[in-house]
Amino acid sequence: MEESEFVIVGGGPGGVAAAMEAAKAGVAVTLVDENERLGGQCFRQFEKGFKVADPEALGLDYKEGQELLHQFSLLGDKIRYLNKALVWGIFNNRTIALAHNGASSALGFKRLLAATGAYDRPVPFPGWTLPGVFTAGGAQKLVKSERVLPGENILLAGTGPLQLVLAYQILEAGGKIEAILEAGNFYKNWLRRFLGIWGNWDFLKEGLGYLRSIRKAGVPLLQGHIICEAHGEEQVEEAVIAKVDRDWRFRPSTARTVKVDAICLGYGLVSSTELTMLAGCEHSYDLRLGGYIPLRSTTMETTVPGIYAVGDGAGVAGRKVAIEEGRIAGISAASSLGYLSSRDAGEQIKPCLKRLDKIGRFRRVLDDISLPRRGLYELAKDDTIICRCEEVTLKQLKEALSDDTLQIKDFKRMTRMGMGPCEGRMCGPSMIEMMRHRLDASAEGVGCLQPRPSIKPVALGVLAAAEPAERKKQ
Amino acid sequence: MHTGGKRVFKGVERGEPFEIEVDGEKIVAYEGETIGAALLAAGSRTLRYTNKLERPRGLYCGIGLCQECCMTINGIPNTQACQTLATPGCQVETRKDLKRRES
């Protein structure tokens, strides 16, 4: 079996930063990424065929990403990089299973870093399965790197600053936005807490820039508003929006209908923890940070020795945190492999920690505003689909609810919820929130949908095409 | 009235346009676009119908996780339209035939 000293899963900002630090120290690094090209969701690059004519038109983070990826390319020959490679399992905590080039193979490691990122928090409400309803991240990918607008008249609904980024990108691309619904109370809180965030002036400047262009385009930014329903036959034709109370429960008397053909939903992000869960790392539940996240030491090591986790997959915090955490993990892994003295490693980590501390203060302000409230999970009606793959409705889940069914995994057994091809990514996070709010349940009590290999669908032919020599060895 | 998304040309130059075939109909795609994006630009949002309730589904997460955009692409079922780049002449099916199989 092939082996690599340090395997990094995920080619977003965290994974790339870690790979660079470790490679600079002399570690033999293998960086595995599912996508065609490096960058992850945040620094996604254009596919072959597109030529960038005007980088300015593509926003701040595009340039930032290009710079990081350029630095990475300078180290190119020192890092083994596998693109379009899916890590579908981890075994004995020393081997990962890879689907690559149409065949499955095993790759051993001494150290592993999960830099697996995050995805938009799914929120079920009537009509959310209609074509034309996108996650904010999905819409962003379309606008940013495929240069296709999700619709002709677009509604943005959700919470937090990522919505403003998407709105800015849609407007810059010449799209039309009906309104931006912010469930929280953004302005008021932002202004009230300005004083605490002087240290992050560049963050602030970025945010204000987005707000300015939204205002200039005349797009209403409705705070304390939520989307309650989407209607349409074959696709989205209209949306019902309403004001919410403090708990984000909508006030029916304020409901009104808007004609839109696309809805982009951004209710924060959920950490992708399939790999760290499969490895048996200990996790704790923190809604502010993206649900279940792996417990980590200050060197980004999980509770399983030799397995590290950084970036949004280890607690949602955005690209700047991911880069600093990635650097720390890369340096720590190099040190633990004997490439750096612990003193040198400590010296190198110090500035990263300093920058992390500075970013941390700003994040807390945003977290408070954007923390999903209970009303969000009361939008679904009895016939609303909760598990999109297996088409399980809220009513079916309610019927399955009994004294013996208080853990998420019990619903799996009773209703097939979470057993479809998305492997519980779309229904699991909402089910945890819905169950957690019951009086008789606690976060620990409701559990989660334990990931199983393969953590993403892999064709049988790919497994069957595994190297015969490897099978004999095992 | 609604024709789906439209292509943006600001800031980038697109690659060569070519045709792909969706349920026997030809639509235009550009090099570097996924099949999901090309279909969206052509105004086709329904990419499949669900097995049990036969409801329409389209691009949702857009980043390869939700599996809602699974189509039959070049004869291979369960292929994610959001992750598969369009190539000249590729054959795409929404699998509307599943409806008939049920009845």
Side-chain angles (χ1 to χ4, degrees):
Chain A
M1 184 182 67
E2 224 188 311
E3 204 180 282
S4 176
E5 275 186 314
F6 188 27
V7 173
I8 297 172
V9 183
V16 167
M20 286 165 61
E21 291 301 331
K24 270 190 252 170
V27 181
V29 180
T30 303
L31 176 60
V32 186
D33 188 62
E34 269 179 275
N35 290 290
E36 189 94 25
R37 312 187 73 177
L38 277 183
Q41 303 307 331
C42 168
F43 292 154
R44 186 181 287 280
Q45 300 184 78
F46 286 97
E47 300 292 350
K48 190 173 159 280
F50 282 93
K51 266 197 217 105
V52 177
D54 179 13
E56 296 292 325
L58 302 169
L60 281 172
D61 54 346
Y62 178 76
K63 279 197 288 185
E64 200 184 312
Q66 287 303 103
E67 178 56 29
L68 183 75
L69 296 172
H70 173 69
Q71 294 298 326
F72 179 86
S73 70
L74 297 178
L75 289 165
D77 53 339
K78 291 192 179 143
I79 297 164
R80 184 169 169 238
Y81 160 51
L82 301 177
N83 71 336
K84 292 165 79 177
L86 169 72
V87 174
W88 62 262
I90 173 165
F91 299 95
N92 307 324
N93 287 348
R94 281 295 168 263
T95 309
I96 54 162
L98 268 178
H100 185 45
N101 281 338
S104 186
S105 60
L107 176 62
F109 61 83
K110 289 202 178 91
R111 303 286 181 275
L112 180 79
L113 171 65
T116 42
Y119 60 94
D120 281 279
R121 171 171 289 281
V123 172
F125 60 86
W128 77 303
T129 57
L130 280 171
V133 177
F134 301 86
T135 68
Q140 192 170 32
K141 185 204 164 211
L142 283 167
V143 177
K144 236 172 85 178
S145 48
E146 304 225 50
R147 302 305 271 164
V148 176
L149 289 164
E152 294 193 335
N153 195 28
I154 306 163
L155 178 71
L156 268 58
T159 185
L162 289 181
Q163 283 214 104
L164 303 182
V165 182
L166 174 61
Y168 169 82
Q169 287 163 339
I170 290 172
L171 293 172
E172 274 295 293
K176 183 174 175 292
I177 300 175
E178 172 73 24
I180 304 166
L181 312 184
E182 164 58 53
N185 215 332
F186 219 71
Y187 277 137
K188 213 167 96 190
N189 287 293
W190 255 39
L191 294 170
R192 197 193 299 151
R193 288 162 199 196
F194 259 2
L195 287 175
I197 44 186
W198 295 119
N200 283 288
W201 188 241
D202 57 333
F203 254 142
L204 207 57
K205 221 165 67 186
E206 207 180 311
L208 290 174
Y210 296 139
L211 282 175
R212 204 173 305 125
S213 65
I214 289 162
R215 203 171 296 158
K216 206 174 123 199
V219 176
L221 198 162
L222 306 175
Q223 305 163 70
H225 277 70
I226 210 167
I227 178 169
C228 319
E229 289 178 26
H231 298 159
E233 279 296 319
E234 277 285 300
Q235 62 179 49
V236 170
E237 290 163 26
E238 54 185 43
V240 180
I241 66 174
K243 283 188 186 169
V244 290
D245 65 15
R246 291 188 48 153
D247 290 325
W248 293 10
R249 288 192 173 93
F250 76 93
R251 299 200 192 109
S253 62
T254 63
R256 62 187 171 98
T257 302
V258 290
K259 286 229 171 290
V260 290
D261 67 341
I263 297 167
C264 305
L265 302 166
Y267 285 107
L269 302 172
V270 179
S271 296
S272 290
T273 54
E274 293 79 21
L275 208 55
T276 46
M277 281 197 172
L278 214 54
C281 308
E282 231 176 285
H283 290 68
S284 68
Y285 192 81
D286 188 340
L287 184 58
R288 280 168 199 271
L289 294 177
Y292 280 99
I293 52 164
L295 301 180
R296 295 178 298 166
S297 70
T298 49
T299 59
M300 306 299 149
E301 197 168 7
T302 66
T303 55
V304 174
I307 298 185
Y308 299 76
V310 300
D312 283 355
V316 175
R319 65 184 195 265
K320 295 190 187 203
V321 170
I323 290 172
E324 300 306 335
E325 289 188 351
R327 284 181 178 140
I328 294 171
I331 296 162
S332 306
S335 172
S336 75
L337 287 163
Y339 288 91
L340 281 175
S341 71
S342 50
R343 206 190 129 169
D344 286 349
E347 280 301 310
Q348 289 187 27
I349 285 174
K350 226 184 258 169
C352 306
L353 289 173
K354 212 168 156 187
R355 287 190 291 265
L356 270 181
D357 182 54
K358 210 168 120 185
I359 303 162
R361 245 187 303 163
F362 190 60
R363 260 190 56 220
R364 274 192 290 278
V365 179
L366 297 176
D367 284 346
D368 284 345
I369 303 158
S370 300
L371 187 71
R373 314 280 153 91
R374 292 184 59 166
L376 194 57
Y377 292 102
E378 295 170 8
L379 292 169
K381 294 181 179 166
D382 271 357
D383 61 351
T384 304
I385 299 280
I386 306 294
C387 167
R388 300 173 71 111
C389 300
E390 293 293 326
E391 304 187 81
V392 182
T393 62
L394 181 63
K395 189 171 176 221
Q396 285 169 288
L397 291 166
K398 277 187 191 164
E399 282 168 359
L401 196 64
S402 71
D403 291 345
D404 303 329
T405 317
L406 288 170
Q407 289 226 310
I408 309 299
K409 64 174 168 33
D410 300 321
F411 288 101
K412 200 169 175 174
R413 184 168 46 82
M414 306 274 292
T415 66
R416 292 194 58 81
M417 183 206 87
M419 295 184 78
C422 90
E423 305 196 23
R425 286 173 175 88
M426 298 300 132
C427 60
S430 339
M431 272 311 280
I432 291 168
E433 279 305 300
M434 288 194 233
M435 289 298 289
R436 207 163 73 93
H437 288 140
R438 287 173 56 87
L439 290 174
D440 51 359
S442 73
E444 276 71 37
V446 303
C448 62
L449 294 170
Q450 175 64 38
R452 307 261 178 240
S454 63
I455 55 176
K456 268 192 186 176
V458 178
L460 276 176
V462 172
L463 298 179
E467 290 287 312
E470 287 190 10
R471 276 189 299 184
K472 259 181 237 155
K473 258 189 256 168
Q474 298 204 345
Chain B
M1 172 180 113
H2 302 299
T3 57
K6 67 171 186 227
R7 287 191 174 89
V8 179
F9 290 87
K10 186 180 171 186
V12 296
E13 280 167 27
R14 280 189 144 74
E16 287 299 307
F18 49 77
E19 284 179 335
I20 66 173
E21 221 169 276
V22 184
D23 293 335
E25 272 178 51
K26 288 191 165 78
I27 68 160
V28 172
Y30 287 78
E31 190 189 2
E33 285 179 352
T34 61
I35 285 165
L39 274 159
L40 181 64
S44 303
R45 301 196 171 193
T46 299
L47 305 182
R48 68 177 183 108
Y49 291 88
T50 59
N51 292 343
K52 278 189 210 164
L53 303 172
E54 298 175 12
R55 290 197 185 145
R57 295 284 168 88
L59 289 173
Y60 171 60
C61 89
I63 58 169
L65 295 174
C66 75
Q67 314 290 329
E68 292 283 35
C69 65
C70 277
M71 307 182 79
T72 298
I73 298 173
N74 289 330
I76 302 170
N78 303 320
T79 308
Q80 294 174 87
C82 79
Q83 300 289 292
T84 310
L85 291 176
T87 50
C90 68
Q91 305 282 321
V92 183
E93 295 159 66
T94 52
R95 299 176 74 200
K96 282 178 183 141
D97 54 317
L98 275 184
K99 275 190 165 180
R100 281 197 298 276
R101 203 187 295 165
E102 288 264 323
S103 52

